Amino acid sequence: MKAIRLVKPGSPLEEVEIAIPSVAARDVLIRVKAAGICHSDAHYRARLSPVARLPLTLGHEVAGVVEKTGPDVQAFATGDRVCVHYLVTCGECGFCRAGTEQFCTTVQMVGKNRDGGYAEFIVVPERSVFRLPDEIPFEQGAILMCSSATSLHALNKARLRPGETVAIFGVGGLGVSAVQLAKYFGAAEVFAVDINPKKLELAQHFGAIPVSASAGNPVEQIQELTRGRGVDVALELVGLPVTMRQAVQSLAILGRAALVGLTQETLEIAPYAELLNKETEIIGVSDHLASEIPALLDLARTGKLDLSHGIIRNVPLEAGAVNDVMDRLENFSDDVRVVITP
Ligand SMILES: [Zn+2]
Ligand SMILES: [Zn+2]
């Protein structure tokens, strides 16, 4: 089968011919119909974050059709529409039992620790497979499983309650979902912060109040828009110390800042003014939970989470096209989400 693989970090991905993966007793072999190209994939290619082995097929946002199942698989059959939870976990360790399986002692991320979905086929254990409702196109099913799922987990971790106010820093793939989910969970006001006018426009379309970070300090703008109160919840989805600090500085008394964007750099905080004096909280967010996925699929199935608005572009399963998309991602271009459709 054809696969787009990371062979040498720091160099473009390569298109290679490899064997179709073998199917163990509890495995599901999926014919990939859509694989999202995520910012973290560009990070792997650029050597900004490590992958577990080389060469490796990237791609952790995957939807497709069941091609073949192992003899012990009960819940799926050939032809089923499915999407993949990108964490492969044991189901038995303390973290798995506690429902925090992203910390499973043997956790493997699809497209990072094991081969991912930039290929014609992918194999994953049944435990990581979810049925994709007919109403959700494969492309949307794929990106749901990363950006939307992580946005949902971030809002859960930040303990958003109805009537609260929210600021979302960065309106890329995660931000568009975060705006809609925050509104759906009853946020009174959602402020969307970005420098890109197209992304701000999209956020506004979904009911957010746009805050242009290129028009001035977003913290001051949010303070003004909330009459000096600040917001109850801030999500940082960019991965820059400056926006992380702005998220914290935007908080009201007892506010919670959930940090999702990745950076290796240090975040500076003024402990008294920004944390202690307001009893604010800074919360780390890592991936999401399998238990959050059914609710998310239901929101997408019923149209409460709309991923159809000019946010998806398709490219073929070709190294040149995929490398191009990653080049653009590295430059923070307008593309909100690009999906490989083999
Ligand atoms: Zn992703
Ligand atoms: Zn486990």
Side-chain angles (χ1 to χ4, degrees), residues 12-42:
L13 304 184
E14 295 178 26
E15 197 170 308
V16 292
E17 199 65 33
I18 55 171
I20 294 176
S22 55
V23 182
R26 292 192 172 180
D27 282 349
V28 177
L29 180 71
I30 299 165
R31 181 183 287 274
V32 177
K33 292 286 188 183
I37 302 177
C38 185
H39 218 122
S40 50
D41 297 323

Side-chain angles (χ1 to χ4, degrees), residues 107-328:
V107 67
Q108 284 194 316
M109 182 168 166
V110 169
K112 183 180 184 185
N113 304 107
R114 52 187 285 147
D115 281 332
Y118 291 7
E120 289 174 85
F121 296 96
I122 182 174
V123 75
V124 284
E126 176 180 28
R127 196 175 139 73
S128 298
V129 182
F130 285 79
R131 200 169 295 280
L132 182 66
D134 290 340
E135 294 89 341
I136 307 175
F138 289 112
E139 291 91 329
Q140 294 181 25
I143 59 173
L144 266 177
M145 299 304 279
C146 179
S147 51
S148 305
T150 303
S151 295
L152 174 61
H153 187 55
L155 290 169
N156 285 340
K157 290 291 291 182
R159 310 188 302 279
L160 173 65
R161 290 180 295 257
E164 290 191 323
T165 51
V166 181
I168 291 165
F169 288 79
V171 195
L174 285 94
V176 176
S177 294
V179 166
Q180 295 181 68
L181 292 169
K183 294 294 275 188
Y184 176 73
F185 292 140
E189 284 177 316
V190 179
F191 303 98
V193 184
D194 209 294
I195 52 171
N196 183 317
K198 280 193 192 170
K199 291 180 178 178
L200 288 172
E201 213 172 281
L202 188 59
Q204 196 172 11
H205 169 83
F206 288 116
I209 298 160
V211 173
S212 170
S214 31
N217 184 337
V219 178
E220 284 166 17
Q221 294 184 64
I222 288 169
Q223 292 297 347
E224 202 166 297
L225 288 162
T226 57
R227 293 156 299 280
R229 182 181 176 276
V231 291
D232 301 299
V233 167
L235 301 191
E236 202 281 344
L237 309 175
V238 184
L240 294 173
V242 58
T243 38
M244 288 178 178
R245 185 153 192 200
Q246 287 169 350
V248 175
Q249 289 173 329
S250 302
L251 293 176
I253 288 169
L254 299 174
R256 288 90 63 200
L259 307 188
V260 182
L262 305 178
T263 179
Q264 307 293 340
E265 289 168 58
T266 300
L267 169 61
E268 271 189 39
I269 291 291
Y272 180 70
E274 291 168 12
L275 285 181
L276 285 62
N277 191 40
K278 297 193 281 183
E279 287 203 352
T280 58
E281 296 171 52
I282 299 175
I283 300 169
V285 179
S286 181
D287 300 311
H288 53 269
L289 305 172
S291 60
E292 291 167 325
I293 291 171
L296 190 71
L297 288 169
D298 211 49
L299 290 173
R301 182 183 63 78
T302 53
K304 292 179 184 95
L305 177 61
D306 180 358
L307 298 171
S308 69
H309 275 267
I311 61 165
I312 297 177
R313 187 161 69 83
N314 293 356
V315 294
L317 184 66
E318 286 166 13
V322 175
N323 282 312
D324 267 2
V325 172
M326 289 191 172
D327 294 345
R328 292 171 61 95

Side-chain angles (χ1 to χ4, degrees), residues 89-93 95-96 104-106:
T89 57
C90 75
E92 280 155 22
C93 71
F95 289 113
C96 281
C104 173
T105 50
T106 60

